[in-house]
Amino acid sequence: MTESRPLTIKYFAQLREVRGLSSEDRQSTAATPADLYAELQNQYGFSLPQERLRVAINDRFAEWSDGLQAHDTVAFIPPVGGG
């Protein structure tokens, strides 16, 4: 059984608009950022697929398969448009 751990999640751009928050603290059993994003998609209805996002853990870009530790800060970063 996987233990729940406290995480801080930061949202940017479209994800922030959908969630209505720029960050939140939550408990999660997600082992990786991929697991965490899937959990958030199910709960909040995020339409952006994981493949279109970058992820950072504790202010460093990370892999979707990296392990999450208690008290990590995870940022999901959508693509930025502009010209």
Side-chain angles (χ1 to χ4, degrees), residues 4 11 16 18-20 26 31 36 44 51 64 66-67 76:
S4 179
Y11 301 104
R16 180 180 57 220
V18 171
R19 179 64 185 100
R26 68 182 284 143
L36 180 60
Y44 302 128
E51 299 78 33
W64 288 97
D66 287 351
F76 295 108

Side-chain angles (χ1 to χ4, degrees), residues 67-80:
L68 294 176
Q69 305 297 318
H71 306 289
D72 277 347
T73 297
V74 182
F76 295 108
I77 307 160
V80 177

Side-chain angles (χ1 to χ4, degrees), residues 1-81:
M1 182 173 172
T2 304
E3 278 188 43
S4 179
R5 68 196 93 207
L7 300 170
T8 298
I9 303 165
K10 291 184 176 180
Y11 301 104
F12 296 93
Q14 182 180 347
L15 297 178
R16 180 180 57 220
E17 292 174 18
V18 171
R19 179 64 185 100
L21 297 171
S22 59
S23 70
E24 70 176 319
D25 296 324
R26 68 182 284 143
Q27 293 284 322
S28 176
T29 59
T32 66
D35 295 339
L36 180 60
Y37 189 68
E39 178 182 299
L40 297 170
Q41 275 187 305
N42 287 333
Q43 185 169 0
Y44 302 128
F46 294 150
S47 62
L48 281 173
Q50 174 188 315
E51 299 78 33
R52 297 209 41 219
L53 302 172
R54 298 281 314 261
V55 64
I57 301 173
N58 300 327
D59 298 322
R60 293 184 175 202
F61 285 115
E63 300 295 326
W64 288 97
S65 59
D66 287 351
L68 294 176
Q69 305 297 318
H71 306 289
D72 277 347
T73 297
V74 182
F76 295 108
I77 307 160
V80 177

